Amino acid sequence: MDRTALADFLRSRRAKLRPEDVGLSTGPRRRVEGRRRDEVAAVTGMSTDYYVRLEQARGPQPSQQMLAALARGLRLSTDERDYLFRMAGHSAPARTPLDTHVSPALLRVLDRLEGTPALILSSLGETLAQNRFGAALLGDHSRLTGFARSSVYRWFTDPHERDIYPAEDQDRQSRAQVSSLRVAYGAAGPHSRAAALLAELQRISPEFVEVWERHDVAARFSDHKTLLHPEVGAIELDCQALFTEDQSQTLLTLTAAPRSDAAQKLELLAVLGQQSFAPQG
């Protein structure tokens, strides 16, 4: 671990990032040009003291998960992400169809969707980033680890994961989850994280095996669905998916028809935020 190089790099990237780049206020009371240390710490899930020590070249070695969060929070390119990992004493993550590093360009789009529930997913259904509205609607899954990061895994292993869908729509969602995993497996191959996830689900879920044997293959582009929220009830939403060029990541937005009952419920949810919604899993 090259603490000095890591500290210099973190300071330079933080100073380069303007508040407006990440949807932050640029009001007259803001005294720093870049993102503040406490803001970087907040989006990565670390304490401000821990991050300050990293910038002062006196912190412990960050984990790979923490470095991935830093790369997203600082809007690093893939090359910058790799450099960050190497300066912290880790090998750079392999660049594969299942790479979980989100491009700064895609994050900029997410930052500008403040009034719309939105999130970025990997091809395995891992929440890589989400706005506050998306977390209020769906729960915050961005800091889960292991297989539980994947919505496909949670769907077939955690009964609470299905609470957000009406009973009559759950079979369709099961098929959609599995067909998306088959797309990811086809792109990544038999020695990938997709294959490991597949093997684990085949081991523990007879229901998954039954659906997998249908051999459906489809990536979801758009959908109209009803979601059940514990605070505002049933909400009918249109789900739109914007894929990256290599199809490895998806920007998902959920919107309601203007002046509809669902639109009013979303407005209420925006006020409630995440005060009463505790995600399962």
Side-chain angles (χ1 to χ4, degrees), residues 188-203:
H191 304 292
S192 64
R193 289 193 301 115
L197 175 60
L198 168 60
E200 181 65 9
L201 284 169
Q202 288 175 322
R203 185 182 70 84

Side-chain angles (χ1 to χ4, degrees), residues 17-74:
L17 197 64
R18 296 294 180 265
E20 58 269 26
D21 295 338
V22 292
L24 295 174
S25 170
T26 57
R29 299 186 64 181
R30 191 175 182 91
R31 297 181 178 180
V32 295
E33 291 187 356
R35 203 163 196 178
R36 295 196 302 259
R37 292 185 179 92
D38 62 314
E39 292 168 344
V40 174
V43 298
T44 58
M46 67 174 67
S47 70
T48 301
D49 178 68
Y50 184 96
Y51 180 76
V52 168
R53 284 188 288 146
L54 288 178
E55 282 204 359
Q56 293 176 346
R58 58 186 182 89
Q61 183 182 40
S63 67
Q64 294 185 19
Q65 182 180 359
M66 193 67 72
L67 290 170
L70 274 171
R72 287 193 295 272
L74 292 171

Side-chain angles (χ1 to χ4, degrees), residues 238 255-261 263-264:
D238 291 310
T255 61
R259 297 173 297 282
S260 65
D261 176 67
Q264 294 178 12

Side-chain angles (χ1 to χ4, degrees), residues 177-187 212-213 215-217:
Q177 291 278 7
V178 174
S179 61
S180 293
L181 177 58
R182 194 176 281 279
V183 171
Y185 176 75
W212 180 260
E213 290 176 351
H215 291 274
D216 293 336
V217 186

Side-chain angles (χ1 to χ4, degrees), residues 4 13 27 29 57 125 141 145 156 166 182 205 244 253 276:
T4 300
R13 296 305 91 181
R29 299 186 64 181
H141 298 119
T145 60
F156 288 99
R182 194 176 281 279
S205 175
T244 55
T253 62
S276 304

